[in-house]
């Protein structure tokens, strides 16, 4: 069992930066791939970024490539999402999720989810 708690969201101006954190409980967390997703009202959840259990592999959605960076510190049971050059269209609730397999772009393959943190980017 893994519990996930996101933090670091807030209000930022376009062009600014935020760093989201996903803190996990559970000794097995370091064996899970982790993904970040986001969702706005009335839209499907969108994949943002993923990282393998050891951190060697990362993958990104097209809309955030070159601007966002995912990383993890397994000693702290935490995964981070550094978001730079933020745009108003990045406004969403951001969720982290854990996958006991190799990780993917598909939300239905992630078993555990956090409650989300709101990111609002003003123009």
């Amino acid at each position: 069992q893994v519990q996930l708690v996101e933090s670091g969201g807030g209000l930022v101006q376009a062009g600014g930066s935020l760093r989201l954190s996903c803190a996990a409980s559970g000794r097995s967390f370091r064996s899970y791939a982790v993904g970040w997703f986001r969702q706005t009202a009335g839209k499907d959840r969108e994949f943002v970024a993923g990282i393998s259990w050891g951190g060697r592999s990362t993958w990104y959605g097209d809309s955030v490539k070159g601007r966002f960076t995912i990383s993890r510190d397994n000693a702290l049971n935490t995964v981070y999402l550094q978001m730079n050059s933020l745009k108003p269209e990045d406004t969403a609730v951001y969720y982290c999720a854990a996958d006991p397999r190799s990780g993917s772009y598909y939300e239905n393959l992630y078993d555990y989810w956090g409650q989300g943190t709101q990111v609002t980017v003003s123009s």
Side-chain angles (χ1 to χ4, degrees):
Q1 193 77 316
V2 174
Q3 289 80 44
L4 304 172
V5 178
E6 303 93 338
S7 63
L11 174 64
V12 64
Q13 288 189 332
S17 298
L18 281 175
R19 188 176 79 158
L20 305 184
S21 297
C22 173
S25 62
R27 291 180 295 175
S28 61
F29 177 71
R30 61 191 63 192
S31 66
Y32 283 68
V34 173
W36 284 96
F37 292 78
R38 65 187 183 187
Q39 189 171 26
T40 55
K43 293 187 177 181
D44 292 337
R45 199 170 290 183
E46 176 190 9
F47 173 78
V48 175
I51 189 166
S52 61
W53 66 270
R56 292 184 178 181
S57 297
T58 59
W59 52 98
Y60 297 91
D62 288 341
S63 61
V64 306
K65 281 180 182 176
R67 300 188 298 122
F68 291 11
T69 303
I70 189 170
S71 62
R72 69 189 296 163
D73 186 337
N74 282 343
L76 297 178
N77 273 9
T78 302
V79 173
Y80 305 97
L81 184 68
Q82 178 67 44
M83 305 186 296
N84 299 329
S85 303
L86 282 161
K87 305 175 181 179
E89 52 263 44
D90 293 318
T91 296
V93 177
Y94 283 71
Y95 301 88
C96 65
D99 177 2
R101 294 163 290 272
S102 58
S104 77
Y105 294 86
Y106 306 106
E107 64 175 295
N108 60 327
L109 297 182
Y110 288 80
D111 291 354
Y112 303 102
W113 291 80
Q115 293 301 304
T117 185
Q118 176 71 47
V119 171
T120 302
V121 184
S122 63
S123 57

